[in-house]
Amino acid sequence: MEGTDRMTPVLEIRGLRLAFGAREVLRGVDVRLEGGAFVALMGLSGAGKSSVLRAIVALEPFTAGTITVDGFTLRPGPVPRESQLRALRRKVGMVFQQHHLFEHLPARDNVTLALVHALGMEKAEAERRAMSLLDALAVSPRARALPRELSGGEAQRVAIARALATDPPLLLLDEPTASLDPARREELGGSLAALCRAGRTLLVTTHDVDFARHFAQQVIVLADGQVAEIGDPAAVLSRSSHPATQRLLQARPGSRAS
Amino acid sequence: MEGTDRMTPVLEIRGLRLAFGAREVLRGVDVRLEGGAFVALMGLSGAGKSSVLRAIVALEPFTAGTITVDGFTLRPGPVPRESQLRALRRKVGMVFQQHHLFEHLPARDNVTLALVHALGMEKAEAERRAMSLLDALAVSPRARALPRELSGGEAQRVAIARALATDPPLLLLDEPTASLDPARREELGGSLAALCRAGRTLLVTTHDVDFARHFAQQVIVLADGQVAEIGDPAAVLSRSSHPATQRLLQARPGSRAS
Amino acid sequence: MAQRSFSRRRSWRIPAAAVFLLSLAGVTWLLAAHLRSREPSHEPPVLRWGGDPEGGAPYVEADPRNPSVMRGFDVEVATAIAHGLGRQPQFIPVSWDAIDQSVRRGDFAIGMSGVEDTPARRATMLETIPYYEFTEVLTVRAADRGRFRTLADLRGRRIGTLGATMAYALLMKASGPDGFTTVSYDDDVHPYEDLKSGRLDAVVLDNIIAARSMRQVSGLYTQPVPLEVGHYVGVMAPGNGALRNRINAVLLARMRDGTLERIFKRWNVWNERQAVFEARLIRDGGHGTVAVGPSLPVHRGVLATVRRYLPALFAAAGITVVISCGAMALAILVGMLIAAGRIYGGRIVSAALLGYVELMRGTPVLLQLYVIYYGFASFIRLPAFWASLIGLGLNYAAYESEIYRGALEAVPKGQLEAARTLGLSEPQILRLVRGPQAFRLALPPMTNDFVSMLKDSSLVSVLTVVELTKQASIFAANSGSWVLPGVLCGAFYLALSLPLAHVARRLELRWKAPTA
Amino acid sequence: MAQRSFSRRRSWRIPAAAVFLLSLAGVTWLLAAHLRSREPSHEPPVLRWGGDPEGGAPYVEADPRNPSVMRGFDVEVATAIAHGLGRQPQFIPVSWDAIDQSVRRGDFAIGMSGVEDTPARRATMLETIPYYEFTEVLTVRAADRGRFRTLADLRGRRIGTLGATMAYALLMKASGPDGFTTVSYDDDVHPYEDLKSGRLDAVVLDNIIAARSMRQVSGLYTQPVPLEVGHYVGVMAPGNGALRNRINAVLLARMRDGTLERIFKRWNVWNERQAVFEARLIRDGGHGTVAVGPSLPVHRGVLATVRRYLPALFAAAGITVVISCGAMALAILVGMLIAAGRIYGGRIVSAALLGYVELMRGTPVLLQLYVIYYGFASFIRLPAFWASLIGLGLNYAAYESEIYRGALEAVPKGQLEAARTLGLSEPQILRLVRGPQAFRLALPPMTNDFVSMLKDSSLVSVLTVVELTKQASIFAANSGSWVLPGVLCGAFYLALSLPLAHVARRLELRWKAPTA
Ligand SMILES: Nc1ncnc2c1ncn2[C@@H]1O[C@H](COP(=O)(O)OP(=O)(O)OP(=O)(O)O)[C@@H](O)[C@H]1O
Ligand SMILES: Nc1ncnc2c1ncn2[C@@H]1O[C@H](COP(=O)(O)OP(=O)(O)OP(=O)(O)O)[C@@H](O)[C@H]1O
Ligand SMILES: [Mg+2]
Ligand SMILES: [Mg+2]
């Protein structure tokens, strides 16, 4: 109700409730992202971060609330048929926590597949784009390897490249930093920041406080199926007094060291 | 050759060379762990950390060198048949980077399986042990969930519980912190530290510098298929001048912040 | 609960659809059988007619003075017809129970060899008007002429007859109420011999055969009261209507001018029953005459026939189920062992097993059944039932093993590695981790095999085991048409496989793909 | 390279093992056929002997005065034998080409109905010493008596004979060098009629049949020079040796006391050839007499016979391959559509498809073939070949669809979700992500079906298509034994399925399970 006067959001989640069987995981989540935002979604393991992202890309049915992506609205009830999701698919990209690479295709073809068949790009051009992306993420040497031949971090970066390839206006990344070494995280953070400077909108779940603090413009803390706290990373992650945030960070080494 | 006078090591790797096809990933790795050690194995993504661990548990054949676990020695060439590895299996436990939970069994049974069938423990007792472990890792509420119903972090913790259950003298953990929130990491670090105080030996790969610094007694940096640097975490991770270590940490937010 | 009721609804929907389609097919077939025309574009100068030389006198027999020349009243009637059509008769020898198929195939235009007018035949073939009226009579040992006057007197006794005849149908119907056993023969000599020798207590066949046999076998007595009235007709291919009508005309004409009477007298099968019968036919110009009172069992039509054969079919279906299940159990067991051997066994073991698989898959199971039943008989003489079960089982084991091998190899290696590092032995891993997950992958193809096993089990009939298909073909031989038994047989198999497939689907849902 | 050679070695090892096992089975069988004894524990007072009443005079025919009494020289010889053994003869009617099986089954002790002494029969059955020596003679139109003196004169012509006879074997052998066409008949009347009518240029049959037919069909001429010498023997079940020897003794005795001569004279089939023949037999007491010079083709033994039938078998195998491949292609195509429909289609669609699957899986394919070939004939009259191909294809499609459905559902859902979020359409996902990974899972069961399709294709012989099994059974009928054709047939199927299985394995290795 409030804030409708502000510029129309790229993503708006209202009172999202989501349950697996009897177990209600999300109990009314409200999120609002303007274009060009870089938002970190944090919370305890099992808090429901992945569920939120999966709900946004219409992979998880939800019981109440609405999800609106740039005009396209998802409603409670069974997931709509793919044919009705065309519009949504063009607007949102996703990196899965478990990567979900196409096991029968080499790294490069994992990236080009959508470019060629969904965007109808020339094969040669698609491969150029794929290689440049893999290069930027420092996995181009493994471009010909099958997913089962990749290391954890390499697989993760290929998955990121695959999602970046189609260059969707809204990008959801589920724990993209999980198995990256510090240097790679830095690089990833940098390129993501560049992306949202270019107008893309990013919603990133992460357990890496430093990463969130240095790259996100805003942090959303998910707890007990609801948004516990929203705000500037520095504020939330350093000086927050909110119990949920405390629970998430309380044991943070940095804080203990001091 | 040197140091044979010291107490006999739990794990000794000598000149380990490992190649995938033409690509040589490990080019002479030497590692030596005494009982009760807590060692962090670090390195760029794709450096070969997982390969080292997999080689130790005889899942990856290697081309040169020897791996000796508490008297049991692995040699180059094809992986020996399972029947000849009985001794090794009882000595080493492993947590996989991709978890590899048994998809058809609920979380709890994933933990009890080995207890009942490998150690011949009473079913009831096995379940008590499993529940207490899951409890310690805060996933006991999901004990009845199938792996596909677990969140990334929950799956990871179940995998850890499964490895801890059989309580092997040498424990290899591949990125156990990857998808854990800061609080869970702290708890995990704590319980691991307790384990090695109880005499277990731990070799843990991680990209989490803080985790390594606070819990490991020793850090091994893997680079270009060899051990680039080895030493006290504080020293290596804060004041190291070694180029490989620089490459790994150079972008570390902490260092930059200063 | 909701789940249950849902699945029940589901389980209903399927048979509904299936049975609907099945009956559709059946009906089309029957329909087609009527519509299909085989009439030649221009009529040849000869009339090809088919008969069974084995039928013997007085129907059709080879002239002893010149065996290639046929004689008998059917021969003469056929000749009369041919001449009436201005053609030359040409005789085509055919075995009696193949007459319908042959005429349908167009081997000859009309079949005449003591061919009876039966509902089954009328449903599928074209019949001329009847040219002879016979009666089914009860023959007993002379000594018993007082005791056994009617079928009712024969409760608990054995009555013989010729298979695929009206007499057989008549007995099948009466056997229920009157509670006697019907014994079907393939020739009309043995029944009377067995009657004399005491193996039977009575024989029911038509008066002509009875008379003929009485002349050969002494000490028998035929009860004067007929059990049933029937007619000999010429049988023609459906759609051959034009010719049929002209033949009917000729037959009527020959009745009027007494030609038929002379023929029948010459073979002394004429009696005043014929006089009455022909008079009636001539009166109403051959119309509606074949419609005999509904009281007569053979005219009870399809449903009654079906009801008559159901018990036998059910029993046979039982055999089919037992053999199929037994063989499948064996196949699954051996198949698992082979699959395990091929994956875990050494070079030699897996090579040998591969050889077994390719040999069993590559050669016809029928051949294998022969080898097991006859070939091994010198070493171990297996009863037909066990030979069938083992033969089918070992053959299917080869197929199953391939299915399991594929499924086992499809289980994610990571889980196997995890299991190893946990210290589980390979057999344990197979039993606890790999097998369970492979099983679900194997379930659909396994169901396929189980379902086709039901039908392959019909092969064992070559080992003298009477199962569903065999029983159906006996039924077919006796009802003189394959249509009804075929559809029934299909329905039975369907009824067996549907629950099977349903259970399999339930299992599949239960162990939903873990990767799902 | 190394890979190649390895796989080659492998591909050799398998057929080796397989063929070894196959021949093993075959040998066991032959062996067993010899060893197996069917002799009854105590001899009955009657001698049951089997003959074919259709054989007609002078062999076996029904006495016109009393059709249940048989007459003919075989009848009298059999009677002489029975009396010689101090038994009563009991005649068991049997169709000529079933004599061997029946006697083997123990329906009667000895078969005598112009039964020829052939290598095949000698290999599998027990033969008495020959009791009559006949000759194979060449009959032509009187007009051609000058042109067609020998088989060599008949290059490019059509020669008729009776199937399953020595004459047939003789022609099969000569047809190669002399380049004429052999036409096999089921009865011995039609060949001569067709010869007269010009459909044939010559008929080769034994002198007795020739003489008989010449009496009935005019305008024919039989060349005096015999093509071949053969013998009639009594055929008995293997292991019945004791009785056989006593029968041989009786036969020799009857030759000495001239009984046989009188019999043959009465049926005027006696000639001085018999005198010489009997004299020789009596001289060396019936030993080694049947061993006729190796120059005679029918005594060339197994290998020659095989070589003779190979071309026909190869041709038939071709049909089998074409139909199997065609049907399998159809099955795969339709199966994929059904599987896709069941997974992606709405409630109604998938329910209907499920109905189709259950109906096709649940009912015998034979029934379906009948419906398609005969049932639909009124709407669309399919040629047998196409009906077979379509029938098998549609039936197997049901099985394939289940395999694909299972495989498609086994592909990790996560990858499908990823594909969706990338904006790929469901058809694209099926084609690019799901299908390729499912295919490898489906490969082993698919191979199973392809291999069994090869053998199921034999069912189409009911639609008059002559494929491998049918050809083998023709072979069997002509060589009078199922053993050799059976083993050959099996070997052919094996030879067809082995490469198939091998290719499948290569494919499997190529697309090694991604999860591996
Ligand atoms: N398919 C499912 N069926 C049942 N429960 C599920 C399913 N998927 C997730 N859950 C449960 O829902 C809760 C939220 O899962 P989710 O993956 O969103 O957590 P998360 O915030 O992503 O945790 P993590 O940081 O560990 O990834 C978890 O407790 C999980 O066990
Ligand atoms: N099965 C395989 N076939 C071919 N190459 C492989 C295979 N497994 C791993 N590699 C390659 O070997 C290198 C080392 O892999 P490894 O998993 O040990 O790296 P890592 O140190 O564990 O990396 P990460 O931190 O991302 O897990 C990587 O470049 C990887 O691509
Ligand atoms: Mg998550
Ligand atoms: Mg790794």
Side-chain angles (χ1 to χ4, degrees), chain D residues 177-400:
Chain D
D178 294 346
F180 52 76
T181 313
T182 305
V183 185
S184 168
Y185 286 77
D186 292 342
D187 69 294
D188 52 29
V189 181
H190 283 85
Y192 293 94
E193 288 175 349
D194 285 357
L195 171 58
K196 184 173 189 187
S197 70
R199 281 202 212 90
L200 297 175
D201 298 306
V203 173
V204 171
L205 274 171
D206 67 41
N207 54 327
I208 293 179
I209 296 177
R212 179 169 83 181
S213 311
M214 301 268 296
R215 257 177 270 118
Q216 301 151 21
V217 186
S218 60
L220 301 184
Y221 173 80
T222 296
Q223 299 291 355
V225 188
L227 302 175
E228 172 70 278
V229 177
H231 302 89
Y232 293 141
V233 296
V235 62
M236 306 177 64
N240 212 346
L243 181 59
R244 195 268 307 263
N245 298 340
R246 290 172 48 210
I247 288 180
N248 283 352
V250 174
L251 276 172
L252 278 173
R254 293 295 153 271
M255 291 182 188
R256 287 208 195 73
D257 64 19
T259 310
L260 288 192
E261 179 172 350
R262 275 191 300 282
I263 293 175
F264 292 135
K265 280 196 170 133
R266 192 175 312 127
W267 291 94
N268 52 58
V269 293
W270 178 264
N271 48 34
E272 103 288 357
R273 171 180 287 279
Q274 304 308 320
V276 179
F277 166 67
E278 288 196 356
R280 198 167 86 249
L281 265 181
I282 292 165
R283 175 168 27 79
D284 42 26
H287 292 306
T289 47
V290 191
V292 192
S295 72
L296 294 180
V298 289
H299 300 294
R300 267 290 177 71
V302 178
L303 269 178
T305 332
V306 173
R307 213 179 297 106
R308 204 148 311 127
Y309 283 97
L310 274 184
L313 285 173
F314 269 109
I319 302 286
T320 293
V321 169
V322 173
I323 288 189
S324 306
C325 294
M328 199 63 196
L330 181 62
I332 291 173
L333 184 75
V334 179
M336 285 179 172
L337 294 178
I338 295 176
R342 286 197 54 193
I343 292 180
Y344 296 105
R347 289 174 154 282
I348 309 94
V349 174
S350 52
L353 289 174
L354 181 58
Y356 175 88
V357 169
E358 294 307 355
L359 177 66
M360 293 309 255
R361 282 203 310 184
T363 56
V365 63
L366 203 55
L367 189 68
Q368 296 163 17
L369 286 173
Y370 274 127
V371 171
I372 288 181
Y373 188 58
Y374 296 116
F376 294 167
S378 50
F379 316 122
I380 172 184
R381 188 179 293 276
L382 289 165
F385 173 85
W386 289 107
S388 316
L389 198 151
I390 293 173
L392 283 174
L394 291 182
N395 175 267
Y396 266 66
Y399 292 91
E400 295 314 299

Side-chain angles (χ1 to χ4, degrees), chain C residues 34-40 43 47 87 103 106 108-110 126 235-247:
Chain C
H34 284 299
L35 301 178
R36 231 156 75 264
S37 159
R38 285 199 170 278
E39 188 158 23
E43 296 173 359
L47 176 72
R87 304 194 199 176
V103 73
F108 42 80
I110 180 171
L126 217 53
V235 62
M236 305 177 65
N240 212 347
L243 182 59
R244 194 268 306 260
N245 298 340
R246 290 171 48 209
I247 289 180

